[in-house]
Structures are given as structure tokens and as C-alpha cells.
Amino acid sequence: MNSIAIFCGSSYGVDSSFTEIARLTGQTIAKQGKVLVYGGGRSGLMGVVADSALEAGGQVIGVIPQGLVDRELAHPDLTELYIVKNMHERKTKMSELSSGFIALPGGAGTIEEIFEQWTWAQLGIHLKPCAFLNVDGFYDDLLKFIQLTTDKGFSKARFTDQLIHSDSIDDILKQFERYRAPEPKWGVQDREELVRLDQADKNFG
Ligand code: AMP
């Protein structure tokens, strides 16, 4: 588990606890010697996570679409910044570079990004863990809704059960270490792709 993708708000949100958890997340990833992979901007919580990791001596990789370079204020001081064509390339690249995904508080973009990665895990496109950093119960209602999709027969229990959630970044990173991926819906989709992703992970070791 060497590189961790963080999805989070491009705004700060109204509670100071959101900024505090973003800061702690950046620091913790850096102190554990892991690479932070994120959206590459300086706006909102995204900027807080990146700055905190850099200040703690960590490596930070950003992936930003050309069209958002100005809007999300592309970070000038990252270890590496990939400027990609569009949002689809951003999410694919972030997925390739990362060995696990964590959503901090955020809006539609954050939720879309973590849901896409959770969906890809179900389809066997990758076998990596997804987590919600549930600070101050921010994700309580969403987690209840996700459980409802299982109760009503739309999501397999093994996928909702494997979704990690905690109010502690340390706890999530520990759970990542012992994560065992559930059997994908239709088996592993593309073995070559998985080997490639596995290799990308080792490159950041
Ligand atoms: P937000 O949580 O809405 O502040 O957005 C957080 C991150 O999600 C930022 O990196 C946004 O660029 C990204 N984002 C925003 N809208 C979308 C979208 N429709 N699809 C995918 N990502 C998005």
C-alpha cells in the first residue's frame, strides 16, 4: 500500500473539522512514507491535503485536466504534476497510480470519484480498497443509503461490506494493509491491466 489517492472537496466546507482532517491526512500519508495522489489543485481541502503532505516531507503527485488548471489552481510545488486532457483521463490515471482510495468530505465531484473506483472494484477492473473518512458523521447518511442498496437487492453484500469507513485516517490505512478484495462480479476483467497496475504500485515502493 504505497500510494494513496485522496478525493476531497475543492471547497473547504463550513466546519473547521474538515480542514483539520485534511491536514492530518496529508501529514499521516507523508509520515508513513506513502505517496499522496490527488487532483493536483490548490483549492479547498485538496490544497490543504497536498500542502500538509509536502510540509511533512512527503511525495505528492497531482493529476489535473487542462481545463481545470486555472479553476482549481494547479499546485506549482508538487513532486510531479500530470496535466491530462479531461476528467476521464484524470480518474484513470489516478486509479493507475494508487493502491487505495479515500474520500474525505466533499461534494458531487468527490462522491462521483470514490463511487467510480468502488464500481471498478466490483467489476474487477482493479482490486483495490475504497474508504470514506467519516469525520463528524459527514458520510453517515450516504453509508446508510449504500446499505439500503444492498438491503433492496441492488448491491451484493460482499461489496458493501468491503467498503471501509472510519473517522480515523490511521485506522483506514491499517485496514488497507489487511484488505482482501472480494471476488469481482464477473471475475477479474482484464488480467493484463491488473498486472500493469500492480507494476505501477511497485514503482512507487
Ligand atoms: P467537489 O467535491 O465537487 O468539490 O470536487 C472535488 C473533485 O472532484 C475536484 O477535483 C473536481 O475537479 C472533481 N469533480 C468535480 N466535478 C466532477 C464530475 N462531474 N466528475 C468527476 N469529478 C468531478
Side-chain angles (χ1 to χ4, degrees):
M1 251 333 129
N2 299 319
S3 48
I4 305 293
I6 297 296
F7 302 129
C8 61
S10 53
S11 313
Y12 291 98
V14 295
D15 296 348
S16 59
S17 59
F18 302 150
T19 299
E20 279 160 29
I21 198 72
R23 192 173 295 130
L24 186 64
T25 297
Q27 287 168 350
T28 304
I29 288 172
K31 282 184 188 155
Q32 292 196 9
K34 300 179 194 305
V35 178
L36 167 69
V37 178
Y38 88 113
R42 268 185 306 163
S43 61
L45 297 187
M46 292 168 68
V48 175
V49 177
D51 286 338
S52 309
L54 289 168
E55 278 161 27
Q59 292 184 65
V60 181
I61 299 179
V63 186
I64 195 163
Q66 182 66 58
L68 290 182
V69 164
D70 294 329
R71 292 201 181 104
E72 289 185 354
L73 311 171
H75 202 301
D77 302 319
L78 302 179
T79 315
E80 199 159 357
L81 178 68
Y82 291 95
I83 298 179
V84 294
K85 277 201 209 100
N86 52 44
M87 204 64 95
H88 295 293
E89 274 191 19
R90 175 197 244 178
K91 292 183 291 179
T92 302
K93 187 77 185 163
M94 288 179 74
S95 186
E96 287 174 358
L97 290 171
S98 309
S99 38
F101 311 93
I102 305 174
L104 269 57
T110 301
I111 294 165
E112 194 269 350
E113 286 168 331
I114 192 73
F115 266 69
E116 180 161 57
Q117 293 313 315
W118 183 43
T119 311
W120 288 6
Q122 297 184 31
L123 293 173
I125 295 170
H126 66 69
L127 300 175
K128 303 169 184 181
C130 294
F132 289 94
L133 217 176
N134 189 18
V135 58
D136 286 348
F138 181 81
Y139 280 118
D140 280 355
D141 289 341
L142 185 66
L143 292 166
K144 268 189 219 146
F145 179 75
I146 290 171
Q147 185 55 44
L148 185 74
T149 69
T150 291
D151 296 344
K152 296 293 180 185
F154 290 109
S155 298
K156 299 260 185 262
R158 68 179 186 278
F159 297 128
T160 43
D161 291 350
Q162 291 295 322
L163 207 46
I164 293 165
H165 51 91
S166 171
D167 62 1
S168 153
I169 179 65
D170 277 316
D171 180 41
I172 287 176
L173 293 175
K174 274 188 199 135
Q175 291 200 52
F176 275 11
E177 291 303 329
R178 52 175 189 265
Y179 179 76
R180 292 179 66 91
E183 178 66 20
K185 242 176 174 174
W186 293 290
V188 172
Q189 286 300 288
D190 180 346
R191 287 208 170 268
E192 253 182 55
E193 174 80 349
L194 283 176
V195 169
R196 205 163 58 76
L197 298 187
D198 190 47
Q199 197 55 47
D201 188 23
K202 287 193 184 79
N203 289 344
F204 287 106

